[in-house]
Amino acid sequence: MFEVNENDSLMLVKTFGSAVYGVDAITITVEVNIGQGINFHLVGLPDSAVKESQQRIEAALKNNGYKIPGKKIVINMAPADIRKEGSAYDLTIATGILAASEQILPDRVSEYVIMGELSLDGSLQSMKGALPIAIQAQKEGFKGIILPKQNAREAAIVEGLDVLGVENIIEVINFFNGEQEIELTKIDTRKEFYKNLDNSSFDFEDVKGQENIKRALEIAAAGGHNVILIGPPGAGKTMLAKRLPTILPPLSLKEALETTKIHSVAGRMESDASLITLRPFRSPHHTISDVALVGGGGFPQPGEISLAHNGVLFLDELPEFKRTVLEVMRQPMEERKVTISRAKFTVDYPASFMLVASMNPCPCGYYNHPEKECMCAPGMVHKYLNKISGPLLDRIDLHVEVTPVDFEKLSEKRLSEKSEKIRDRVVRAREIQHERYKENDYMHSNAMMGSKQLREICRIDEAGQQLLKNAMEKLGLSARAYDRILKVSRTIADLEQSEHIETNHLAEAIQYRSLDREGWAG
C-alpha cells in the first residue's frame, strides 16, 4: 500500500466513466485534482446520487485500509454541461482520488473505462447500461472496461475489449498496483446466441382446440400484424397470446444485440446474463401510466413498448387501460420508435413491436356467448367497445373472436401442432417479404406497407374486387377495413407461397374484421 505523504507534489489524474443517453453511451472524463487546503468539491452537473458518492467512497476506502487525503480535492466531471445521474461513478471517482494521492500507480488508469457503485465495505453493486458503455469504450479505443462482476458477461459480448469483472475495490487497487491480475471475462457471442435460441417454456402443442385462433396468430406472426382477441373470460386469450413469440422468426444476432442494449439501459438484465436470445414478451398491467408505457421521466428511461422491441406487447383487458395511455401508443406504432424531448436534449428509443390485445366483448364478459346470457344493460356493450378509439383500432389488422373450448376438445389426448412446425411456415413467409422489401431499409413485413406499396403489391383481379365490394356492402365494413384486408390477404398468400392474391385469401382476411361490422355490438 502507498502511504500518503503530506509533502508530496500535487497531482492531477484523469479517469474515465460513461453516461447513458437513450440506448447509447457518452464517455465522461473524471478529472481529480488534489491541492493545498481542506475541502471536497464535486463539479460538472452531478445529481444527488453522484454528490453522495463522497460518503460511500470515504467509508469503502477506510474499511479497506485506505483513505481520502485530508487536502483540497476538486473533481470535475466533463463534459460539464451533461447531467451525471446515478451512483455508478463511485468507482471512477474513487480510482481517480487514489491515483491522484499516489495510493495506486496512475500509469494504466486512463486505459480503462471504470464504473461501479460502491457499498460501504468496498464491494460493488450491479449497474445499468453495461452493454452500451462497453460498445462506446470499444469504439473510442480503450483497452478495457472495469465494472461489477454481475455485469461482466453482459459487457463481454463486445469483441476487442478487455472486460474485467471485479467484486470489490481492493481488486481494482491491487490490479493497478501490479499486485493482482483480474481474469478477463470472455463470451463466445455466437455460441451464447444459439445456445438458448429455442429455450421457451411455452408451446402451441399445449393448446387444445382453437384451431381458427392459432391460424389467425400464424397469419399475424407471418406478416407482423397487430391483433386483438375478443372473447369471454377463460376462453384462452392470454394462453394463446403468451405462445405467439414461439412462432415468430428467431431473433437475428443484430436484433438480439439491439434488444439486449435496451434491457441493459433499463436495468432489466438478470445478474450474470449476457445476451437476450428470445423475443421479448411484455405484459403490463392495465393500471400502467403513460410514461411507464412509452418511456420518459425526469431522467428518461425506456418504457414497456421499447422493452417489447423485436417482440410482443400484450395488453390484456384493453378497454380497462386509461384512454390517454392507449392514445400515446399511436405514433410509436406508426414510426416504430419513441422520441422523448426535453429542454436540453432529445433521446430516441426503438419500439418496433407486435401489439397483441385481448378484451371481453362487454363488461360482464358474456355478450355473444353460446351458453351464458349477457347481463349488461342496453347500450353497455357499445359503450364498452367505444373505450377503444377508432385511430387505435385502425392500427390493428386482425380482429379475432375467441370462443370457449368444449369438453371433448379439452379432454383429447392427442397433442396439437408444435410451435416449431408453425414457425417454419412463418419463416418461409417472412423470407418472401424480406426479398420483396429488400430495397426499403425501414420495411421488412407486410404490416409496414404504406399506401403506395399497397397499390403496387396488393393487386387483385376482377373476381377479388367483386368479392371485396360485396363484403363491404353486405357486412357493413368500414373504409378503414379495406387496406387492412388487402395487407392480411397478402400475408395469407405468402404463407401459401402464392405470387398473387386469390379470392380465397381475400375471403379469409375478411372474416378477421369483426369489430368493423355494423351491428356487431348491437
Side-chain angles (χ1 to χ4, degrees):
M1 189 199 307
F2 284 80
E3 293 296 328
V4 183
N5 188 334
E6 295 296 325
N7 298 316
D8 280 346
S9 57
L10 308 178
M11 284 192 70
L12 169 66
V13 169
K14 292 183 180 181
T15 55
F16 296 93
S18 201
V20 176
Y21 282 87
V23 290
D24 297 311
I26 300 168
T27 299
I28 302 295
T29 305
V30 177
E31 302 169 316
V32 181
N33 186 73
I34 297 182
Q36 295 295 339
I38 298 174
N39 222 323
F40 188 98
H41 300 282
L42 181 55
V43 297
L45 219 57
D47 75 344
S48 298
V50 181
K51 287 175 184 173
E52 289 166 357
S53 64
Q54 181 186 354
Q55 284 73 36
R56 289 191 295 272
I57 292 166
E58 194 169 2
L61 293 180
K62 188 176 179 181
N63 289 327
N64 286 280
Y66 293 82
K67 65 177 182 177
I68 292 180
K71 293 191 175 185
K72 183 180 180 180
I73 301 173
V74 179
I75 299 165
N76 178 44
M77 306 181 78
D81 61 338
I82 293 176
R83 187 162 176 79
K84 320 303 180 305
E85 306 261 354
S87 51
Y89 297 104
D90 289 359
L91 191 59
T92 325
I93 296 168
T95 306
I97 292 170
L98 290 166
S101 60
E102 297 186 331
Q103 296 181 73
I104 64 172
L105 294 170
D107 309 355
R108 295 186 294 160
V109 166
S110 61
E111 295 176 357
Y112 296 86
V113 168
I114 304 165
M115 294 292 286
E117 178 191 335
L118 284 169
S119 294
L120 300 187
D121 62 356
S123 60
L124 289 166
Q125 305 288 337
S126 63
M127 53 179 274
K128 293 180 181 180
L131 180 56
I133 288 170
I135 290 169
Q136 188 64 22
Q138 192 263 350
K139 273 184 192 172
E140 295 193 13
F142 284 93
K143 183 180 179 182
I145 178 171
I146 297 173
L147 75 172
K149 200 162 191 174
Q150 304 95 304
N151 303 106
R153 282 174 58 80
E154 185 185 328
I157 294 168
V158 181
E159 295 177 356
L161 189 74
D162 291 351
V163 177
L164 310 178
V166 293
E167 291 182 352
N168 56 63
I169 195 168
I170 286 294
E171 290 179 42
V172 180
I173 293 168
N174 292 341
F175 171 73
F176 284 122
N177 284 339
E179 297 169 7
Q180 176 184 345
E181 283 301 315
I182 300 170
E183 187 183 349
L184 297 181
T185 304
K186 293 187 177 177
I187 293 285
D188 185 335
T189 308
R190 293 193 176 275
K191 183 181 175 185
E192 197 75 15
F193 175 63
Y194 290 112
K195 183 176 75 173
N196 298 317
L197 209 54
D198 289 312
N199 189 22
S200 175
S201 55
F202 297 111
D203 200 292
F204 266 104
E205 72 173 354
D206 306 327
V207 182
K208 305 284 187 181
Q210 307 283 32
E211 299 305 325
N212 59 324
I213 321 299
K214 289 183 209 170
R215 169 65 176 172
L217 292 180
E218 181 181 338
I219 294 165
H225 301 288
N226 299 322
V227 58
I228 184 166
L229 306 173
I230 313 138
K237 301 185 291 295
T238 305
M239 184 185 187
L240 287 155
K242 282 183 177 177
R243 281 154 180 75
L244 181 59
T246 67
I247 63 170
L248 287 169
L251 283 170
S252 66
L253 188 55
K254 183 186 173 188
E255 287 176 325
L257 283 165
E258 272 180 10
T259 307
T260 306
K261 211 171 168 185
I262 296 165
H263 285 248
S264 173
V265 168
R268 301 299 178 93
M269 296 290 290
E270 293 178 11
S271 183
D272 294 325
S274 57
L275 192 67
I276 291 175
T277 55
L278 297 176
R279 291 195 179 270
F281 180 86
R282 305 296 301 180
S283 180
H285 193 259
H286 64 258
T287 54
I288 192 169
S289 68
D290 311 17
V291 171
L293 187 70
V294 298
F299 180 61
Q301 288 286 295
E304 286 291 336
I305 62 173
S306 292
L307 293 170
H309 180 63
N310 291 324
V312 174
L313 178 70
F314 177 51
L315 301 184
D316 199 6
E317 302 303 337
L318 189 66
E320 302 303 327
F321 283 79
K322 285 183 288 190
R323 194 177 181 96
T324 53
V325 171
L326 296 178
E327 295 310 297
V328 293
M329 281 203 311
R330 281 158 48 180
Q331 189 176 355
M333 284 171 72
E334 287 292 318
E335 297 184 0
R336 301 193 174 263
K337 68 174 182 178
V338 181
T339 302
I340 310 293
S341 297
R342 294 291 179 266
K344 291 186 178 178
F345 61 89
T346 300
V347 295
D348 288 333
Y349 293 116
S352 182
F353 60 91
M354 263 184 72
L355 173 66
V356 179
S358 76
M359 60 178 285
N360 294 329
C362 65
C364 80
Y366 296 107
Y367 179 75
N368 272 353
H369 194 282
E371 295 165 7
K372 297 187 180 180
E373 189 179 345
C374 175
M375 305 299 290
C376 297
M380 283 295 291
V381 179
H382 207 71
K383 187 179 177 183
Y384 188 70
L385 293 175
N386 280 344
K387 287 184 178 181
I388 308 164
S389 71
L392 178 64
L393 208 57
D394 192 31
R395 288 162 173 81
I396 299 176
D397 295 346
L398 289 96
H399 309 160
V400 186
E401 291 184 63
V402 183
T403 51
V405 184
D406 57 35
F407 178 77
E408 284 72 21
K409 286 278 173 68
L410 281 173
S411 57
E412 267 187 1
K413 293 283 190 288
R414 183 174 59 86
L415 290 172
S416 302
E417 189 176 24
K418 289 179 74 69
S419 289
E420 190 181 352
K421 286 188 176 179
I422 302 172
R423 188 171 66 186
D424 288 343
R425 296 195 294 269
V426 168
V427 168
R428 283 197 296 273
R430 284 287 183 111
E431 283 168 357
I432 293 170
Q433 291 165 56
H434 178 73
E435 184 63 27
R436 181 182 295 141
Y437 306 120
K438 64 183 178 183
E439 292 179 10
N440 290 314
D441 294 336
Y442 63 91
M443 194 181 299
H444 52 260
S445 67
N446 289 334
M448 297 180 179
M449 272 192 283
S451 301
K452 184 183 175 185
Q453 289 83 12
L454 200 69
R455 289 194 301 272
E456 292 172 0
I457 294 164
C458 299
R459 291 177 180 161
I460 52 178
D461 59 19
E462 193 63 39
Q465 287 279 17
Q466 192 58 47
L467 174 66
L468 203 48
K469 182 187 174 188
N470 291 342
M472 293 191 75
E473 288 174 356
K474 290 182 181 176
L475 299 176
L477 296 177
S478 67
R480 68 172 175 245
Y482 181 81
D483 286 2
R484 305 292 163 184
I485 289 169
L486 288 178
K487 286 183 184 182
V488 173
S489 57
R490 179 63 266 173
T491 300
I492 296 167
D494 290 341
L495 278 167
E496 294 187 6
Q497 313 283 299
S498 171
E499 190 177 340
H500 303 289
I501 298 173
E502 309 290 347
T503 50
N504 59 310
H505 304 147
L506 281 166
E508 186 176 358
I510 288 165
Q511 70 173 336
Y512 298 126
R513 297 305 301 178
S514 301
L515 295 180
D516 278 329
R517 294 177 195 163
E518 284 180 4
W520 188 86

